[in-house]
Amino acid sequence: MKYWLMKSEPYAYSITDLEREGVTMWDGIRNYEARNFMRDRMTPGDRALFYHSNVKPPCIVGEMEVCSEPYPDPYQFDPESKYFDESSSQSDPRWILVDLKYVRTFPHSVSRDELKEDSLLKDMVLFTRNRLSITPVTKEEYERVLELANVT
DNA sequence: GCCAACGTTGGC
DNA sequence: GCCAACGTTGGC
């Protein structure tokens, strides 16, 4: 099992939305490195931290689980969508995503500052890779986040 | 709201 | 293939 951190702006899609819906397509990723993680590295059963970005304070709010094989993001083919990509084709789709399933909302959200101040978490890829919206997390980091989140 | 970081685009 | 211009992300 592998571990990930995935960012979303909560006014676009939040952990509350995911709790209500149960499962979501992680659509709209238009960065090749983030796409490659979903396409080449994620497998069903992987765990992911849900990170609320662009809010005060930015923080990890919960946990989800990869629950599909990779497949094409349908919005790349939809001319009405902001994620439409005219240079992508059905036969050779450019943008690939996975489904994520709700696991839980943390009793305590772990803020970016708390992560930064923790000796085990201060070197997370989150901090070394500016703006990358999907980043790998080590097992040790993941378990430490659960501790800070008061998950028993 | 500002702006630094940084990925992408396109002219040459 | 270089790199300036441009657009986006996302912390502050």
Side-chain angles (χ1 to χ4, degrees), chain A residues 11-108:
Chain A
Y11 35 87
Y13 196 83
S14 73
I15 188 90
T16 310
D17 297 320
L18 182 59
E19 180 176 19
R20 186 179 60 247
E21 296 178 358
V23 175
T24 192
M25 286 193 302
W26 206 260
D27 58 74
I29 298 299
R30 294 295 179 268
N31 170 280
Y32 289 111
E33 200 169 357
R35 176 205 66 182
N36 292 349
F37 285 139
M38 292 198 287
R39 187 186 65 182
D40 305 333
R41 302 272 312 279
M42 285 190 188
T43 49
D46 284 2
R47 290 294 177 113
L49 300 167
F50 196 134
Y51 180 96
H52 280 178
S53 65
N54 231 330
V55 286
K56 293 175 182 175
C59 53
I60 297 172
V61 293
E63 217 185 338
M64 19 186 207
E65 184 181 316
V66 176
C67 66
S68 80
E69 299 292 336
Y71 64 98
D73 182 336
Y75 295 110
Q76 71 195 302
F77 306 124
D78 176 4
E80 304 297 309
S81 169
K82 66 182 281 202
Y83 297 118
F84 178 61
D85 184 346
E86 63 176 2
S87 58
S88 184
S89 66
Q90 296 275 356
S91 57
D92 184 22
R94 178 173 298 184
W95 304 109
I96 303 294
L97 52 68
V98 295
D99 290 344
L100 275 301
K101 171 171 84 179
Y102 178 81
V103 173
R104 66 178 135 200
T105 303
F106 291 148
H108 169 74

